[in-house]
Amino acid sequence: MNNILIAVLALGGLGLLFGIVLAIASKKFHVDVDPKIVQIRENLPGANCGACGYPGCDGLAKAIAQGKAPANGCPVSSSEAALKIGKIMGVEATVGDKKVARVLCKGCKTNTIEKYKYEGITDCKAASMISGGSKSCDYGCLGYGTCVDVCPFGAISLVDGVAVIDKEKCTACGKCVDVCPKGVIELVPYDQEVFVDCKNQDFGKSVKVDCKVGCIGCKLCEKSCPFDAIKVENNVAKIDYDKCKECMECVIKCPTKAITADLDKRKKAFIDEDKCIGCTICAKNCPKDAIEGELKKVHKVDQDKCIGCGICAEKCPKDAIEMK
Amino acid sequence: MNLFSIFVGAILVNNFVLAKFLGICPFLGVSKKVETALGMGIAVTFVMTLSSIITYLVQIAILNRFGLEYLQTIAFILVIAALVQFVEMFLKKSSPGLYEALGVYLPLITTNCAVLGLAILNIQSEYNLIQTIVNSLGAALGFTLAIVLFAGIRERLDLADVPESLKGFPIALITAGLMSIAFMGFAGLSI
């Protein structure tokens, strides 16, 4: 009994002594931390993904507080958080264009053929080492989910043998882009609606054999685009997202449906007759000559010709054109 | 046993990492760059020397006196954990430069088995206070030497053409093994 008492007292006393010393030390050696760092840290996601280039969220919070990093330095958090951090720092935070990752491939199991039966480990890197993977297309998504495993936000899922990224969950941290052995994942603007979902650089004939929805490099999209925004390079079409007005002309023209877009979201121009002053600026700028009307008279949009590019709405000096 | 032989023995012959295999976690974890490895080494040196002095005093003044030797491990852990906390606070106030340099490595050391191992080994070897200090300093410098050498090799390995399946940790572990074999050569050293 005595032994136990001594042991408890000795160890307890030791613990108490250290506790008191630490308590005193924490008061005596107290250092004021910049309250900004704490506030900024609260507005960061705390995933410590490292996409900002700093060691974790604490590192970025410190860098922002010291002015070494911009208020929107976190590529992952929402624009609201960036605005809040900007407020803490007392600067206007310019919100960068939000991006999301997208798998540019529609080669699901029904659209492609299996070259052979792959029975190795379910990992795209391993699978791609055996003559480029089991899928008939050498450029497309293999669908073994290496990106699914690496995504820290659970934004990627496999749908019928092709990885699909949830636009809302994706934070554009870029980990899947790095890990994909086929390089089929790209960062695209969040607002973009039209995509060429193909990376196949083979000639049209062999693409047609490999995949039902592959880009055959026919250049019909290139010719149909009124804005010079889509170009065929190395036998595959590529959209310049800065130039693209999402008129979806290419989507309609594409013979293999390699270009994806939701045609229901296509807009049409409508002219507010009360506001229109008949200046003809819209008619001059319309790439499809879909607007008619004489000078100083209310103009009309030919809804069959209108492709919904929105150029007229941008140019109208009276804001009389609405896209809906 | 004179102090010099204890010192050299602790650095080379009984190198903590490469001969006793203590403190492998920081050895592999913070050895990607020479700069950070050196930071870790300095932090370990600092904490090891201080903690072995205090654990020695605790052993003599409390554990031995009340016949509580069996509580050695838990008492030493208590001492080391509290000490690291205290040192961190002290450095933050008095020497922000050093605090920044040691950075995250300081709290990491709390759970470093090399620090606890050294404290227990000092008692087992029945060193006196001076010998304890010399042995601790030697062991810590040995740790620093090993981790800095290792980091230097790993920096070069990054540029080397390593087979795909050996890249990263596998080649690091092989390197560590080879270094350990190299250090075995010091076992024949008699001072």
Side-chain angles (χ1 to χ4, degrees):
Chain A
M1 187 60 203
N2 219 10
N3 279 339
I4 298 175
L5 207 64
I6 291 173
V8 169
L9 281 179
L11 214 55
L14 217 53
L16 194 68
L17 179 73
F18 289 140
I20 292 169
V21 169
L22 283 182
I24 295 171
S26 75
K27 278 263 179 281
K28 197 166 181 192
F29 299 127
H30 180 72
V31 179
D32 289 320
V33 185
D34 190 345
K36 274 183 195 164
I37 298 178
V38 183
Q39 282 176 325
I40 293 170
R41 177 67 188 76
E42 280 167 5
N43 280 302
L44 292 173
N48 290 322
C49 67
C52 54
Y54 287 91
C57 295
D58 287 325
L60 179 65
K62 208 171 172 191
I64 293 175
Q66 288 170 347
K68 283 181 192 163
N72 61 350
C74 178
V76 167
S77 62
S78 61
S79 45
E80 283 167 42
L83 287 174
K84 271 188 197 163
I85 293 170
K87 236 179 225 172
I88 296 166
M89 290 299 292
V91 291
E92 277 298 309
T94 47
V95 180
D97 280 343
K98 196 182 173 193
K99 291 203 160 193
V100 287
R102 184 179 172 93
V103 181
L104 296 178
C105 178
K106 286 196 287 192
C108 60
K109 280 173 187 163
T110 45
N111 286 335
T112 56
I113 315 155
E114 291 283 293
K115 277 192 290 195
Y116 57 88
K117 196 156 189 260
Y118 176 73
E119 287 187 339
I121 51 170
T122 47
D123 179 86
C124 299
K125 279 182 177 170
S128 69
M129 277 182 210
I130 306 167
S131 72
S134 61
K135 258 188 194 160
S136 48
C137 173
D138 283 341
Y139 300 89
C141 173
L142 291 172
Y144 291 109
T146 300
C147 51
V148 178
D149 295 336
V150 83
C151 179
F153 304 95
I156 311 180
S157 54
L158 292 175
V159 180
D160 194 23
V162 167
V164 177
I165 299 176
D166 186 335
K167 200 169 152 179
E168 302 308 323
K169 284 187 189 163
C170 177
T171 58
C173 69
K175 283 192 176 165
C176 53
V177 179
D178 293 336
V179 86
C180 179
K182 292 290 181 187
V184 79
I185 309 177
E186 274 183 16
L187 291 180
V188 298
Y190 176 83
D191 297 327
Q192 180 72 18
E193 296 281 354
V194 186
F195 300 99
V196 179
D197 278 338
C198 184
K199 288 279 220 173
N200 196 317
Q201 298 180 3
D202 288 343
F203 286 106
K205 205 176 166 192
S206 60
V207 176
K208 271 193 168 167
V209 175
D210 290 340
C211 181
K212 285 180 193 163
V213 290
C215 172
I216 53 173
C218 64
K219 298 199 178 181
L220 278 178
C221 51
E222 203 177 295
K223 281 168 201 153
S224 72
C225 183
F227 309 104
D228 215 17
I230 191 162
K231 280 269 176 296
V232 175
E233 278 169 26
N234 297 325
N235 295 314
V236 62
K238 200 168 170 39
I239 295 174
D240 184 338
Y241 299 121
D242 292 333
K243 286 185 187 168
C244 179
K245 302 275 179 195
E246 298 177 337
C247 67
M248 304 187 192
E249 275 296 279
C250 52
V251 183
I252 297 164
K253 288 277 156 53
C254 181
T256 59
K257 301 285 165 240
I259 308 177
T260 318
D262 187 358
L263 282 173
D264 291 340
K265 285 191 182 169
R266 203 175 191 198
K267 291 174 179 162
K268 295 273 178 192
F270 291 93
I271 294 176
D272 186 337
E273 291 179 2
D274 298 334
K275 284 187 187 167
C276 180
I277 52 167
C279 66
T280 73
I281 288 177
C282 54
K284 278 176 195 155
N285 280 298
C286 180
K288 288 281 166 187
D289 293 328
I291 303 179
E292 284 169 1
E294 286 171 30
L295 193 64
K296 305 232 166 145
K297 279 184 185 162
V298 174
H299 289 20
K300 263 214 151 82
V301 180
D302 185 340
Q303 296 297 343
D304 293 334
K305 280 189 188 170
C306 176
I307 55 172
C309 64
I311 295 262
C312 49
E314 266 174 42
K315 297 280 179 188
C316 180
K318 293 285 167 191
D319 284 334
I321 305 178
E322 202 185 337
M323 303 297 299
K324 55 186 173 187
Chain B
M1 212 187 225
N2 64 40
L3 292 176
F4 180 72
S5 65
I6 291 178
F7 188 64
V8 175
I11 295 181
L12 297 176
V13 184
N14 296 318
N15 188 290
F16 255 60
V17 180
L18 298 171
K20 283 194 174 14
F21 306 115
L22 288 167
I24 299 293
C25 170
F27 181 66
L28 291 172
V30 253
S31 57
K32 284 208 177 114
K33 280 189 201 152
V34 171
E35 200 181 312
T36 51
L38 197 62
M40 185 70 188
I42 293 169
V44 167
T45 310
F46 196 67
V47 172
M48 264 191 176
T49 315
L50 262 180
S51 69
S52 62
I53 296 170
I54 296 189
T55 48
Y56 179 82
L57 294 177
V58 166
Q59 175 78 25
I60 299 292
I62 297 172
L63 299 183
N64 283 355
R65 180 174 296 172
F66 298 111
L68 297 171
E69 285 86 355
Y70 60 93
L71 285 176
Q72 196 186 43
T73 312
I74 191 165
F76 283 9
I77 289 176
L78 201 63
V79 171
I80 293 165
L83 182 75
V84 173
Q85 286 285 318
F86 182 78
V87 167
E88 199 183 349
M89 282 189 253
F90 179 75
L91 283 183
K92 208 171 179 180
K93 181 78 177 179
S94 62
S95 166
L98 189 60
Y99 177 77
E100 283 286 312
L102 297 181
V104 291
Y105 308 121
L106 208 50
L108 272 182
I109 298 167
T110 318
T111 51
N112 188 344
C113 64
V115 180
L116 179 66
L118 176 76
I120 292 174
L121 280 174
N122 279 335
I123 308 298
Q124 273 177 6
S125 313
E126 294 177 352
Y127 287 147
N128 62 31
L129 186 59
I130 303 295
Q131 284 171 327
T132 297
I133 295 171
V134 170
N135 186 42
S136 311
L137 202 61
L141 287 177
F143 177 89
T144 313
L145 177 74
I147 197 170
V148 169
L149 286 178
F150 188 52
I153 296 174
R154 279 186 83 175
E155 272 189 358
R156 294 194 171 210
L157 276 178
D158 278 348
L159 305 171
D161 187 19
V162 180
E164 179 77 26
S165 52
L166 288 179
K167 264 182 192 159
F169 258 107
I171 195 77
L173 287 172
I174 293 170
T175 313
L178 289 175
M179 279 181 77
S180 178
I181 293 173
F183 265 69
M184 270 174 72
F186 290 119
L189 205 67
S190 69
I191 315 157

